[in-house]
Amino acid sequence: KPLYEYLASGSDAEETLHENRIAFSRYALRPFALRSVSGLSTALSLFGRNLSIPVFASPAGVHRLVNDKGECATARACGAVGTMFGLSQHATCSIEEVARVAPGTCRWFQCYILKERSVTASLVRRAVKAGYSGIFLTVDSVKFGRREADARNGFNALPPPLTLSNYEDYAKELSLTTDQQSSKAWERKKHAAWDQNTETIFDQDASWDDITWLRTVIDAATKDYHVQGRIPLVIKGIMTAEDAIKAVDFGADGIMVSNHGGRQLDSCLASIDALPEVVAAVRSKRPGFPVLLDSGIRRGTDVVKALALGATAVGVGKPLFYSLATGGELGVSAMFHIFKEEIETAMALCGCRTIADVSGKMVQRRSHL
């Protein structure tokens, strides 16, 4: 029960957690008949990489909580189906370990801004050196949301021998020293919920200027490791038009509309409800600007609704953990295949042959909800 509730729960009263699902039901798909859909394809190009489906593995930590192969299994599954894998900074498999077992997978690395900027820079440089195709910067986590389920269940640390593998090289920099002890910040049990113990290493003074700083870190690593082309930087955790415009102005290559799966600010909008204003804001400045989305995606029809409202592609989190827990690498592959089949059916019935055919005319907000 503690493990399930860690994965399934949200913050505080879990209003946003539940709203993420309810919100999708407020949008109806509009079917279009007698359209030629032979040769239907769910493929797309995202930041220059070809993906088989517009669904990818959102960066989420601690996969080894549910399967001993952890993020390595998830990354291999993503490669097998031809989609993108996001590795969390808080992974239980290291940057290099995942790169070794899934060399052909389109791998992205997700980072936070830490108090120790040298650690943030080092992690990003490691990802570039290991061949990761892009960087997510998560900006919604200057503090972690209050996870009442974890506090109630006494889930205040990872069960040994699991640890946050990417931090192992920085134990000294990320340790907290008191008169009594010196310990890795993410393994202390000062607070009743684990996320409150890990947040102590995050920089609460991070600003938009840090996007510019991170861009310089990425570009320097690209040059040092002789990487061809520009490595894209996507800002994850954008929920307002104002922040979306700032992200563009400060040099982001894409943004990701996300409320962290309902695990951060409770009582905020569902991601799908925030999507239209964000899309309108950024594409008035930069037509075609990539806008990703996660939080609440469960079915292929959810994916098509998000695409119709302007998303370029969507990420999944909770379904990924449940699939990994029940079926390992093959379970994750099966999940993506189910999404693909459901997307194909919804696209065909809406008269769409390609992802480019999915448009706003295919979705309508229900008037009674």
Side-chain angles (χ1 to χ4, degrees):
K1 180 183 175 183
L3 174 56
Y4 172 77
E5 290 198 340
Y6 172 74
L7 299 172
S9 65
S11 59
D12 294 334
E14 299 186 337
E15 292 179 16
T16 301
L17 174 73
H18 298 299
E19 186 67 10
N20 277 338
R21 288 301 306 138
I22 294 168
F24 274 98
S25 68
R26 290 197 285 266
Y27 295 91
L29 289 171
R30 301 179 69 230
F32 287 85
L34 298 177
R35 307 290 208 275
S36 175
V37 294
S38 62
L40 186 151
S41 173
T42 61
L44 74 158
S45 177
L46 184 62
F47 297 108
R49 296 293 296 264
N50 294 325
L51 305 182
S52 65
I53 52 174
V55 186
F56 61 90
S58 252
V62 296
H63 289 206
R64 274 185 170 150
L65 274 176
V66 300
N67 180 277
D68 62 357
K69 302 298 183 183
E71 289 85 359
C72 290
T74 308
R76 286 173 59 88
C78 288
V81 301
T83 195
M84 186 169 80
F85 167 73
L87 180 72
S88 170
Q89 184 167 303
H90 283 185
T92 44
C93 297
S94 73
I95 292 166
E96 294 80 10
E97 186 179 4
V98 172
R100 282 195 299 271
V101 301
T105 299
C106 176
R107 290 168 279 108
W108 280 53
F109 178 67
Q110 172 269 328
C111 67
Y112 298 100
I113 298 293
L114 302 179
K115 293 175 182 176
E116 290 290 340
R117 298 303 176 87
S118 62
V119 176
T120 302
S122 177
L123 288 164
V124 169
R125 288 180 61 83
R126 285 170 56 188
V128 173
K129 183 179 181 181
Y132 284 68
S133 302
I135 302 294
F136 288 109
L137 171 63
T138 297
V139 296
D140 63 4
S141 302
V142 289
K143 284 182 69 67
F144 275 138
R146 295 178 64 255
R147 314 283 168 77
E148 293 181 0
D150 295 344
R152 181 177 64 249
N153 292 324
F155 192 92
N156 59 3
L158 291 178
L162 297 183
T163 189
L164 300 183
S165 297
N166 289 318
Y167 289 158
E168 285 301 292
D169 289 344
Y170 315 105
K172 181 179 179 181
E173 294 92 332
L174 301 181
S175 290
L176 299 178
T177 302
T178 67
D179 292 338
Q180 292 79 31
Q181 62 179 350
S182 177
S183 64
K184 299 171 185 175
W186 62 96
E187 293 180 355
R188 295 189 76 197
K189 300 181 180 181
K190 178 180 178 181
H191 300 282
W194 180 52
D195 284 327
Q196 273 61 60
N197 290 316
T198 60
E199 73 183 17
T200 57
I201 61 178
F202 293 167
D203 188 354
Q204 294 189 346
D205 292 318
S207 72
W208 290 102
D209 289 331
D210 289 312
I211 294 177
T212 305
W213 169 77
L214 187 59
R215 181 75 260 172
T216 64
V217 171
I218 297 168
D219 291 345
T222 299
K223 181 179 179 180
D224 292 344
Y225 298 121
H226 309 291
V227 175
Q228 297 297 314
R230 176 183 172 93
I231 291 181
L233 172 61
V234 169
I235 310 305
K236 181 179 182 292
I238 299 296
M239 289 290 290
T240 65
E242 293 90 338
D243 278 355
I245 290 171
K246 279 187 173 293
V248 174
D249 289 344
F250 277 85
D253 299 296
I255 59 176
M256 188 161 180
V257 178
S258 172
N259 58 36
H260 221 104
R263 294 165 73 83
Q264 284 299 95
L265 178 63
D266 202 21
S267 292
C268 73
L269 283 178
S271 287
I272 193 68
D273 283 336
L275 178 64
E277 73 167 80
V278 169
V279 168
V282 298
R283 292 192 181 146
S284 67
K285 294 173 67 70
R286 296 269 300 276
F289 190 82
V291 178
L292 311 180
L293 174 139
D294 75 3
S295 305
I297 297 288
R298 297 293 185 274
R299 306 302 300 251
T301 48
D302 298 335
V303 178
V304 175
K305 290 176 185 180
L307 299 179
L309 289 170
T312 309
V314 303
V316 292
K318 288 182 174 65
L320 188 152
F321 277 99
Y322 302 148
S323 301
L324 183 63
T326 56
E329 180 181 333
L330 293 179
V332 176
S333 295
M335 176 202 72
F336 282 118
H337 285 301
I338 292 169
F339 268 115
K340 187 175 190 294
E341 291 175 357
E342 292 183 351
I343 293 167
E344 288 174 341
T345 299
M347 285 176 60
L349 296 178
C350 287
C352 301
R353 180 182 285 164
T354 69
I355 294 297
D357 295 332
V358 180
S359 68
K361 69 181 181 181
M362 294 168 183
V363 69
Q364 176 179 326
R365 193 175 177 92
R366 301 178 196 269
S367 59
H368 64 286
L369 292 176

